[in-house]
């Protein structure tokens, strides 16, 4: 799908949902579309503002990069991480579906 | 001994424990009894482990007996919103996608509470991933307002505020990205503080919008909120945005607040009080509060926040953009819910996220994805960040003329459950709280009055400059001591 379907007045919900990796059923599409366009209509009020020369604020306070020595820290939480994954192999690896399409899984 | 929980504060519980009038086991048992009685109707909790709480209480009592209590607060229970990590406990952010997930470590705020002997009592319900104004967007169940079970407690930290109001717990920690501590506090008749951005470490807080999120305490009075701020604030190695603590004890500031606001200037933004924009009860409450502040010696000055009309639009661009990035990690691979019938990765992402997220979360992820997408980034996200600069400057200019700003928390009293279904209308309820997050400054919601005919609490908001909590808490305390209604206790 192409990006062209998005406009400043209409969000292409199917396209944006594919970018966001969320499946949207046809039955919920219209409602979402209407909601999004209503919100879009509201936030478009920013277009009336002339903000030339204004610097953007990325963070609420002046955040500087914080350096530290590159020393590895040991935090043994592997057990938790494996347990939190929906599927695992031998309590040691996170199990996922086949990543590269092609031959069937052995 | 049976303690009168309905008005019991953290500081009073501390005195009872210190003087030996009650043990931690007795105190916690009282709260457990109360919680078990009211929880079927209020539904403020999503997780509670009785054995864990009573074990911790026993250990606290032993420490007290030996004289090695960790602090005056050793043995006092406190609950947390379901997005703050407590080791070995579930952390689901009110979402189906995180059901069954257990925290591998304690959030820094939990470590700091534990160091003082507070007992983590349970986890409070919330709008899914903190996205909501009513606490109805939870994958579990909606939380009810203890003042009127047909009304919402406010959101997103609705479980925390309702639990404190219903005296299921003396205090709770919530989080505030656009008003999520202050609004439910106002709706439930309790005190809620949104500290300066960076005041409290967010290590172990599940992120919604990282440039706005801040943990905040909810309690029955200003003193308790100050006590908790003392305990949980300060620089943390694990959160590079956290700020150093100044050499001030907020609880002492509140205790020694005195009774006069002489010398203090309270700003009233002219853009906030347009007739018709506010419910009459809220408008009258603000007028009454203005009068009270004058009587207490404060000088009222008109200030202007000219860009405030653009705050909400800017907020919903920035917050959703950051949310779309932060929530990308919930993909069915590493945490919680996974769609069962996928045989390829792409399909697994699409379906796991479809099944796992509720509709409001999907809306915000989609909006955030749109405003960051190719061709729209500059028009929306970058522009919103520039507007944010103007909003910050507004506040900087206002604070040259006044010490604190007085504002409503919500434009109206608590809504009837199920009535706020239009997303944009829901967002508009945040209009008085979001600017504080955009500017990174601090704000507190303090109960002010009770709406006569419908018997619902109202709250006022005081806003302070960056790191202005001492002044903020002092004024809040003096207001609290002099407001028309002394105690806010729901009939429930």
């Amino acid at each position: 799908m192409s990006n062209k379907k998005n406009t400043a007045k209409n969000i292409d919900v199917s396209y944006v949902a594919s970018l966001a990796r969320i499946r949207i059923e046809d039955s919920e599409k219209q409602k979402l579309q209407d909601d999004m366009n209503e919100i879009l209509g509201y936030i478009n009020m920013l277009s009336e503002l002339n903000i030339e020369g204004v610097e953007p604020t990325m963070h609420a306070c002046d955040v500087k990069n914080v350096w530290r020595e590159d020393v590895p820290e040991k935090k043994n939480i592997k057990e938790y991480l494996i347990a939190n994954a929906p599927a695992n192999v031998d309590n040691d690896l996170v199990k996922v579906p086949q990543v590269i399409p092609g031959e069937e899984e052995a | 001994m049976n303690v009168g929980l309905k008005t019991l504060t953290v500081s009073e519980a501390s005195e009872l424990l210190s003087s030996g009038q009650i043990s931690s086991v007795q105190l916690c048992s009282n709260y457990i009894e109360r919680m078990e009685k009211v929880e079927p109707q209020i539904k403020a909790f999503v997780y509670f482990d009785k054995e864990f709480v009573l074990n911790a209480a026993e250990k606290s009592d032993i420490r007290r007996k030996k004289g090695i209590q960790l602090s005056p607060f050793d043995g006092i229970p406190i609950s947390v919103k379901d997005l703050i990590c407590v080791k070995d406990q579930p952390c689901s952010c009110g979402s189906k996608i995180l059901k069954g997930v257990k925290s591998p470590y304690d959030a820094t705020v939990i470590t700091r509470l534990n160091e003082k002997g507070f007992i983590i009592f349970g986890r409070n319900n919330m709008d899914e991933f903190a996205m909501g104004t009513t606490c109805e967007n939870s994958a579990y169940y909606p939380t009810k307002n203890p003042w009127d079970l047909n009304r919402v407690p406010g959101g997103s930290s609705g479980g925390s505020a309702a639990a404190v109001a219903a005296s299921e717990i003396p205090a709770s920690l919530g989080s505030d990205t656009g008003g999520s501590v202050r609004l439910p506090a106002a709706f439930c008749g309790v005190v809620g503080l949104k500290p300066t951005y960076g005041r409290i470490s967010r290590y172990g807080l599940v992120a919604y919008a990282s440039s706005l999120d801040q943990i905040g305490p909810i309690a029955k009075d200003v003193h308790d909120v100050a006590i908790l701020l003392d305990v949980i604030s300060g620089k943390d190695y694990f959160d590079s945005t956290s700020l150093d603590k100044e050499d001030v004890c907020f609880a002492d500031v509140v205790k020694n607040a005195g009774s006069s606001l002489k010398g203090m200037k309270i700003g009233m933004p002219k853009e906030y009080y347009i007739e018709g924009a506010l419910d009459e009860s809220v408008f009258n409450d603000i007028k009454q509060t203005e009068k009270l502040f004058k009587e207490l010696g404060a000088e009222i000055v008109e200030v202007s926040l000219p860009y405030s009309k653009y705050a909400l639009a800017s907020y919903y661009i920035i917050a959703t953009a950051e949310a779309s990035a932060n929530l990308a990690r919930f993909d069915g691979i590493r945490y919680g819910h996974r769609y069962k019938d996928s045989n390829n990765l792409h399909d697994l992402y699409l379906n796991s996220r479809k099944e796992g997220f509720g509709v409001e979360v999907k809306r915000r992820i989609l909006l955030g994805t749109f405003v960051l997408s190719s061709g729209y980034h500059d028009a929306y996200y970058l522009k919103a960040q520039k507007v944010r600069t103007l909003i910050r400057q507004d506040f900087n200019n206002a604070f040259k003329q006044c010490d604190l700003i007085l504002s409503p928390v919500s434009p109206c009293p608590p809504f009837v459950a199920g009535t706020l279904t239009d997303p944009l209308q829901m967002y508009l309820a945040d209009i008085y709280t979001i600017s504080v997050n955009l500017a990174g400054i601090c704000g507190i919601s303090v109960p002010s009055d009770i709406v006569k005919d419908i018997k619902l609490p109202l709250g006022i908001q005081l806003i302070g400059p960056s790191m202005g909590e001492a002044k903020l808490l002092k004024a809040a305390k003096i207001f609290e001591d002099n407001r028309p209604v002394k105690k806010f206790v729901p009939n429930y």
Side-chain angles (χ1 to χ4, degrees), chain B residues 206-443:
Chain B
V206 179
Y208 158 22
S210 305
S211 77
L212 305 161
D213 295 340
Q214 187 60 200
I215 291 173
I218 295 175
K220 283 196 193 287
D221 68 12
V222 175
H223 187 207
D224 279 5
V225 158
I227 287 171
L228 289 166
L229 187 63
D230 283 327
V231 172
I232 62 178
S233 60
K235 183 89 192 154
D236 176 25
Y237 175 73
F238 294 116
D239 178 356
S240 62
T241 64
S242 61
L243 302 168
D244 281 322
K245 207 171 189 168
E246 328 100 295
D247 192 19
V248 57
C249 170
F250 295 112
D252 286 348
V253 168
V254 169
K255 229 195 267 174
N256 305 324
S259 56
S260 166
L261 287 169
K262 211 159 185 188
M264 203 179 267
K265 285 184 181 167
I266 305 284
M268 305 269 292
K270 63 178 184 195
E271 292 81 4
Y272 280 13
Y273 301 107
I274 301 155
E275 234 188 312
L278 284 170
D279 186 273
E280 203 190 336
S281 62
V282 177
F283 187 80
N284 292 339
D285 184 43
I286 288 290
K287 286 285 151 206
Q288 178 181 287
T289 303
E290 180 188 358
K291 197 167 150 257
L292 177 59
F293 273 125
K294 270 189 208 157
E295 284 164 17
L296 292 168
E299 184 188 336
I300 304 287
V301 292
E302 186 183 88
V303 293
S304 177
L305 303 169
Y307 289 100
S308 52
K309 97 175 241 216
Y310 301 101
L312 194 73
S314 163
Y315 173 84
Y316 274 92
I317 293 169
I318 291 170
T320 58
E322 293 179 11
S324 73
N326 277 327
L327 272 61
R329 76 193 71 177
F330 305 117
D331 55 3
I333 301 290
R334 288 161 291 169
Y335 314 91
H337 180 75
R338 176 182 290 186
Y339 175 64
K340 291 284 177 285
D341 300 316
S342 289
N343 52 15
N344 72 71
L345 208 51
H346 189 69
D347 195 51
L348 184 146
Y349 293 150
L350 290 176
N351 285 300
S352 300
R353 286 162 69 79
K354 177 206 148 172
E355 290 182 341
F357 290 135
V359 62
E360 181 55 28
V361 173
K362 283 178 189 165
R363 260 195 298 260
R364 294 200 196 186
I365 292 175
L366 293 181
L367 185 65
T369 305
F370 170 74
V371 299
L372 290 177
S373 66
S374 165
Y376 292 91
H377 173 276
D378 286 7
Y380 289 102
Y381 189 59
L382 189 63
K383 188 146 195 186
Q385 288 186 316
K386 290 181 178 176
V387 174
R388 187 176 183 181
T389 304
L390 299 172
I391 290 165
R392 284 184 71 185
Q393 285 171 357
D394 273 357
F395 278 106
N396 286 342
N397 291 336
F399 285 126
K400 282 175 194 155
Q401 299 161 50
C402 65
D403 297 288
L404 301 170
I405 288 171
L406 170 65
S407 125
V409 183
S410 153
C412 57
F415 322 107
V416 173
T419 55
L420 201 62
T421 48
D422 181 67
L424 187 59
Q425 288 309 311
M426 181 174 83
Y427 301 169
L428 285 166
D430 293 338
I431 202 146
Y432 291 108
T433 48
I434 44 159
S435 302
V436 172
N437 300 75
L438 286 169
I441 54 184
C442 56

Side-chain angles (χ1 to χ4, degrees), chain B residues 16-279:
Chain B
L16 291 175
L17 286 164
S18 300
S19 62
Q21 291 177 68
I22 191 170
S23 69
S24 174
V25 169
Q26 285 168 325
L27 182 67
C28 289
S29 301
N30 275 308
Y31 276 111
I32 292 169
E33 202 180 302
R34 171 77 186 156
M35 191 202 72
E36 286 175 342
K37 188 177 153 217
V38 305
E39 195 52 20
Q41 284 79 47
I42 305 290
K43 297 188 181 300
F45 281 84
V46 296
Y47 176 82
F48 167 66
D49 180 348
K50 192 172 180 173
E51 204 180 325
F52 171 85
V53 171
L54 289 174
N55 271 338
E58 266 171 45
K59 281 183 192 152
S60 166
D61 285 338
I62 292 169
R63 284 195 295 271
R64 285 220 183 244
K65 250 177 221 153
K66 288 184 181 163
I68 51 163
Q69 59 270 23
L70 300 170
S71 79
F73 313 108
D74 199 329
I76 295 177
I78 181 169
S79 59
V80 297
K81 188 178 182 179
D82 189 29
L83 45 41
I84 295 173
C85 291
V86 179
K87 192 171 191 279
D88 290 322
Q89 290 191 3
C91 181
S92 63
C93 302
S95 180
K96 186 180 169 189
I97 209 160
L98 286 179
K99 265 188 185 159
V101 166
K102 271 189 183 168
S103 301
Y105 54 81
D106 281 329
T108 295
V109 289
I110 299 299
T111 306
R112 289 182 177 166
L113 287 171
N114 284 336
E115 282 167 2
K116 301 290 179 197
F118 280 95
I119 295 171
I120 309 301
F121 187 83
R123 308 181 63 78
N124 291 121
N125 200 16
M126 58 185 281
D127 287 298
E128 186 179 0
F129 286 106
M131 299 178 184
T133 304
T134 62
C135 211
E136 295 174 294
N137 298 326
S138 160
Y140 293 90
Y141 28 73
T143 296
K144 303 292 168 60
N145 191 320
W147 291 80
D148 177 349
L149 297 179
N150 294 315
R151 306 253 173 183
V152 302
S156 66
S157 310
S160 294
V164 174
S167 305
E168 298 178 67
I169 196 79
S172 177
L173 295 187
S175 67
D176 191 315
T177 305
S180 282
V181 159
R182 288 160 287 158
L183 187 115
F187 277 14
C188 291
V190 294
V191 180
L193 172 70
K194 190 298 241 193
T196 301
Y197 185 81
R199 180 68 91 173
I200 296 171
S201 163
R202 294 165 311 157
Y203 179 70
L205 170 78
V206 179
Y208 158 22
S210 305
S211 77
L212 305 161
D213 295 340
Q214 187 60 200
I215 291 173
I218 295 175
K220 283 196 193 287
D221 68 12
V222 175
H223 187 207
D224 279 5
V225 158
I227 287 171
L228 289 166
L229 187 63
D230 283 327
V231 172
I232 62 178
S233 60
K235 183 89 192 154
D236 176 25
Y237 175 73
F238 294 116
D239 178 356
S240 62
T241 64
S242 61
L243 302 168
D244 281 322
K245 207 171 189 168
E246 328 100 295
D247 192 19
V248 57
C249 170
F250 295 112
D252 286 348
V253 168
V254 169
K255 229 195 267 174
N256 305 324
S259 56
S260 166
L261 287 169
K262 211 159 185 188
M264 203 179 267
K265 285 184 181 167
I266 305 284
M268 305 269 292
K270 63 178 184 195
E271 292 81 4
Y272 280 13
Y273 301 107
I274 301 155
E275 234 188 312
L278 284 170
D279 186 273

Side-chain angles (χ1 to χ4, degrees), chain B residues 460-482:
Chain B
I460 53 117
Q461 176 175 226
L462 286 170
I463 301 170
S466 179
M467 300 305 265
E469 277 88 343
K471 226 189 273 180
L472 186 77
L473 289 163
K474 180 186 167 181
K477 166 69 177 165
I478 294 173
F479 170 72
E480 182 182 61
D481 286 344
N482 291 282

Side-chain angles (χ1 to χ4, degrees), chain A residues 12-15 24-36:
Chain A
D12 182 343
V13 165
S14 302
Y15 172 68
I24 303 291
E25 298 297 340
D26 288 343
S27 59
E28 53 184 348
K29 218 168 119 185
Q30 193 56 52
K31 169 86 172 85
L32 267 175
Q33 184 80 60
D34 294 346
D35 287 349
M36 304 289 296

